[in-house]
Structures are given as structure tokens and as C-alpha cells.
Amino acid sequence: MPKPTHAPVPTAEAGFAYSQERFRELVDEVLAEAKRLGASDAGAEVSEGCGLSVSVRKGELENVERNRDKSLGISVYVGQRRGNASTSDFSAKALQDTVRAAFDIARFTAEDPVAGLPDEQDLSLDATARPELDLFHPWAIDAEGAAALAMRCEAAALSTDKRITNSEGAAVSAQQSHFFSGNSRGFRGGYASSRHSLSVAPIAGRGAGMQRDSWYSSMRDAAELAAPEAVGRYAAERALSRLKSRKVKTAEVPVLFESTVAAGLLGALVQATSGGALYRKASFLLDSLGKPVLAEHLDVSEDPHELKGKGSSPFDDEGVITRPRQVVEAGVLQGYFLSTYSARKLGLRTTGHAGGSHNLRLTSRWTAPGDDLRTMLRRMGRGLFVTELMGQGVNYVTGDYSRGASGYWVENGEIAYPVHEVTIAGHLPEMFRQIVGVGTDAYTVGSKTIGSVLIARMKLAGS
């Protein structure tokens, strides 16, 4: 775990209009106003975000967009009645009116026996104990510089091969934000963060045989972004490899998910074990705590304190302490993803997941150091290697899974030809138990890190 230090303070030089100290004052003001009106409890958050997005297409500047927004939201409790209101106007009168609106809503809202702020024992009250997670790296880039990077990326894609005939464009985004929140039980805290990206989407071939693919690089620190030429070339190679794709016959075969799409399987696990789905009984993993949910060789770890992690935070959206943990150990579910409200609905304690999961990583105890993508293809032998999924055919209540897919047909452990217009189907509980391998080709998508995933058998609907 990183040592606790003081986080960088947002300043005007970093592109912000407000300081953390001013945000603290605003939070204190609205909480005091809520108390004056008679609220039994209250929580507030104020935030500001700004950024630059630039897109180009075929060597020409297409769009330049600058964004800046700010907001203050407050939740007011009158006993176990709750009201919410928000504003983007930070004037004294607007803040008073916003608190009054939340208070009035609370007075006339039905009582909810589990409504309320987190218990003090769960809150991150000691600011000195919070780890500094290195999340804020402002990028001093202007529109001209961003356009130049995007053009380099697209040019690299277009020059990779004469069969790259067109482009949907390339884009650069530089975003940063900061917030401060507090509540009437003593919590105060906030920090700044950044996220920057570079992407391109080239088109290969002509006419009915055209194929599109894309690639991107996304980091909190722009210095760690992949080189624009590397992003462009790889995107072009992906598009080229899809030319002359075919349909395949309906069958039941092994399916290997590329790491970039395998993250969706981890997302399905999170969705099914999240408090909201559980207390509504809208999950295929009801009452699964302490029971096998994945193949016995699989583990899922969570580290909210990973340096520069896209899902890192010293506390959740309610100010609850976050902690590293094992979500799944040897296939057995060790913990749900609970906010204060969902935990109380289930008769449990919050896990610090108001706002979502934090830096999940799926690993296999069977994985050897040399189990790269090529090895995973050889292990599959014959089947479908999926690199893209389409549609939203996942039923989180029943676990039924059906998605449009494209990728490559594999024979004798080698890619034989590209495949399109197929559907893969299965039942998520069975799919989870039939994971027979995880590659070392780990890739981070959002806050989830996972290698390629091999499932023993799935239904493939083709021609």
C-alpha cells in the first residue's frame, strides 16, 4: 500500500476555477444551512470538471470541444425521510434555495427504514490515514497540439497498408476534475483526478468487403499514453486482419475471449453480486456469498489503492473507507459490492462500493508464465476467438447470455480466417464454471484487468 501523503492541491494553474479550500467552504455552508432548517443529517458534494477533446479525419481537423462544468448536490435527511437537490449556481441565494428544496422534499417523502448516512465506524474520518494514489496529472496541451497528435495517429494507420482505404477519424481527449464532499457525521474529503486518451478507427478494404476496427490508449498520466504511431499501426493491423471474413456453421465449440472483451465477463460478475440487484432479487447469483461462482482455479482481487488506477479511491462516494480484498478465492465468492443503503436492505454492512468496484483483477492458479495469447489459441485447438461483441443480450436475472460476435476461426491452434455475423450463447453460471484458462496477456479496460479467457464450450449460431 502506498504511504499516506498529502495529495496535490487543485489550482487555477491546473485549469480549475475553484480551490479545494473553497469547495470545503461550500460544503460546510450547505451542511450548516441544512442543520439550521432542522435536518437530522445531511451530506453534500461539490465538483468541477474541465477538458479538451479534439478529433480529426483524413488529415483534417473535424472538431474541437472544450468542456467545463460544476455542480453541488446535497442530500438532506429528516429522520428516515430523504430529499436530494443540486445546482450549478454557487451564489449564496442559490445554495440556500437548493438546501431548502432538498429539505422540503425530505419532509414530504415517505419514510424508508434503511435510509441514512453511513455509520461513523465505516467512514474515512482520519484524513491523515488516507493513501495518496497519484491520480492527478493535468495535461498542458492545447487544441493545436492535440490535433497534431491525432493526425500522427491517423496518418500511421492510413500508411500501414494500401488496403487501409478510409478512416472514421482519430481523437485526443484531456480531462481532469476534482471534488470535495462531507456530511454531518464528520466526514470531509476530496481529491483531483485526470484521464487522458488517444484513439483511432481505420477502415480496410472497399465496397461490401470493408472492415473497420479501432484501438486506443487511456491513462491518468499523458506521459504514459502509447505512442500515436503505435496506436495507429495496431488499429490498422486489426482492421486488415478482418478482411475476407466468413460466416461459420452453427456448432458448439470452445470460445476464447480476447482480453479486451473478456472484461465484460468480469463486469457481469460485478453486476450480479451488486447490492441493488441482490436486494431487488434481480440477479442470477442470489445468496451466493460463500459459495462457488467461478471455476475453482480462479481468483478475483480488488485493490482500491493502486497507484494511478482508474478505479482507485481512498473512500467511496459516501465517504466510506475502501480496502483491498479478495472478491473471489478459489472460485468461491468472498464478498458482495455494497453501498450503505443496499447493505442495510440485505442486513449486511457496507463494503465501500457506493459508486462501483475498484481495480478488479481476475487470475487463474493454472496460468503459467508462458501462457500468452498464442499459447491460449493452441490450447483451444479448434473454436472461435472473439475480438468484438455486439448487442446487449445479457439477462442478469436469469444469467442467459447471447451476443453478436466477430473474431477468428481457429484450427489446430492457429487462426484460420476472420469470422463475422455470428452469435454466441450460453448461461453465465455455466460459463463461469467452464473457464478453463486465463492468459498472461492482461489488459486493463476501465477498472478491470484480465487476460484472454477460454471457455470450454458455448453455442455458436452461424449460417
Side-chain angles (χ1 to χ4, degrees):
M1 182 187 299
K3 294 181 179 180
T5 62
H6 293 291
V9 178
T11 63
E13 289 75 16
F16 294 126
Y18 297 86
S19 67
Q20 283 271 291
E21 185 54 40
R22 179 54 183 149
F23 275 3
R24 177 189 286 271
E25 292 170 357
L26 291 172
V27 166
D28 288 345
E29 288 172 19
V30 296
L31 292 180
E33 179 65 12
K35 182 178 181 180
R36 188 188 68 79
L37 291 174
S40 53
D41 261 324
E45 178 176 305
V46 58
S47 62
E48 174 188 13
C50 58
L52 168 70
S53 299
V54 175
S55 62
V56 303
R57 182 174 179 272
K58 300 190 77 172
E60 298 290 334
L61 182 65
E62 192 166 63
N63 185 61
V64 176
E65 179 180 333
R66 290 191 178 275
N67 59 285
R68 181 177 293 277
D69 56 78
K70 59 186 174 77
S71 177
L72 182 146
I74 184 165
S75 295
V76 169
Y77 296 89
V78 178
Q80 290 181 304
R81 304 172 189 268
R82 178 184 176 183
N84 302 296
S86 63
T87 181
S88 59
D89 184 348
F90 292 174
S91 67
K93 183 178 185 307
L95 296 179
Q96 290 173 359
D97 290 345
T98 302
V99 178
R100 167 62 72 175
F103 181 74
D104 288 342
I105 292 169
R107 286 194 301 136
F108 296 106
T109 298
E111 284 194 2
D112 186 335
V114 300
L117 294 175
D119 296 331
E120 288 186 24
Q121 66 196 46
D122 294 322
L123 290 169
S124 175
L125 298 178
D126 183 0
T128 63
R130 297 172 192 159
E132 162 50 28
L133 303 175
D134 199 18
L135 305 180
F136 184 47
H137 296 269
W139 191 6
I141 190 169
D142 57 16
E144 183 179 5
L149 280 178
M151 288 181 183
R152 284 169 55 192
C153 185
E154 186 186 49
L158 292 170
S159 63
T160 298
D161 189 289
K162 63 182 180 181
R163 291 173 295 170
I164 299 294
T165 56
N166 207 337
S167 168
E168 290 187 354
V172 168
S173 176
Q175 301 292 326
Q176 59 195 55
S177 62
H178 72 119
F179 76 96
F180 193 87
S181 60
N183 63 39
S184 53
R185 297 192 177 181
F187 170 76
R188 295 290 188 278
Y191 55 86
S193 62
S194 57
R195 187 170 296 190
H196 315 298
S197 65
L198 168 67
S199 61
V200 65
I203 297 171
R206 300 183 184 277
M210 287 192 301
Q211 292 289 339
R212 169 203 176 276
D213 213 316
S214 62
W215 198 246
Y216 71 96
S217 179
S218 175
M219 294 289 174
R220 290 199 181 275
D221 185 349
E224 296 177 358
L225 290 171
E229 290 78 12
V231 173
R233 284 193 298 270
Y234 186 58
E237 290 166 1
R238 291 177 67 92
L240 289 165
S241 68
R242 297 174 65 155
L243 289 173
K244 298 182 180 180
S245 61
R246 314 180 198 175
K247 295 182 181 180
V248 292
K249 293 182 178 180
T250 297
E252 191 168 325
V253 296
V255 172
L256 178 65
F257 287 80
E258 185 181 34
S259 56
T260 54
V261 294
L265 297 174
L266 197 47
L269 176 69
V270 173
Q271 171 66 24
T273 54
S274 291
L278 293 170
Y279 78 72
R280 294 186 183 97
K281 299 190 182 302
S283 167
F284 63 90
L285 289 178
L286 292 175
D287 301 317
S288 55
L289 196 63
K291 299 177 182 178
V293 295
L294 298 177
E296 63 181 5
H297 61 97
L298 297 175
D299 300 306
V300 178
S301 60
E302 181 177 37
D303 184 4
H305 302 159
E306 179 182 320
L307 291 177
K308 297 184 180 179
K310 294 173 187 173
S312 294
S313 179
F315 48 81
D316 75 357
D317 287 0
E318 297 178 313
V320 171
I321 299 169
T322 56
R323 295 182 175 90
R325 64 172 184 161
Q326 282 295 124
V327 179
V328 176
E329 188 169 5
V332 176
L333 185 68
Q334 305 296 313
Y336 293 139
F337 296 87
L338 306 176
S339 65
T340 296
Y341 185 86
S342 63
R344 289 172 179 163
K345 291 285 282 187
L346 294 166
L348 300 171
R349 186 174 175 182
T350 177
T351 58
H353 288 92
S357 60
H358 310 282
N359 302 322
L360 297 175
R361 182 180 295 270
L362 183 143
T363 55
S364 168
R365 301 180 181 197
W366 294 351
T367 300
D371 287 350
D372 57 9
L373 178 58
R374 188 176 297 276
T375 301
M376 296 296 289
L377 290 168
R378 287 199 298 268
R379 182 176 298 174
M380 179 169 64
R382 178 179 182 270
L384 182 68
F385 174 39
V386 175
T387 60
E388 184 178 15
L389 292 168
M390 290 81 76
Q392 303 296 323
V394 181
N395 187 324
Y396 293 106
V397 179
T398 64
D400 291 335
Y401 183 98
S402 179
R403 302 285 303 273
S406 62
Y408 305 88
W409 186 253
V410 176
E411 289 280 358
N412 299 316
E414 298 287 342
I415 289 176
Y417 50 83
V419 171
H420 70 157
E421 294 183 12
V422 298
T423 300
I424 54 174
H427 190 231
L428 279 167
E430 296 175 5
M431 290 166 60
F432 287 163
R433 290 192 294 270
Q434 290 187 34
I435 294 175
V436 293
V438 178
T440 57
D441 53 332
Y443 192 79
T444 299
V445 180
S447 61
K448 299 173 180 65
T449 300
I450 189 171
S452 52
V453 169
L454 178 58
I455 296 178
R457 298 194 79 76
M458 290 186 70
K459 292 178 181 177
L460 169 62
S463 57

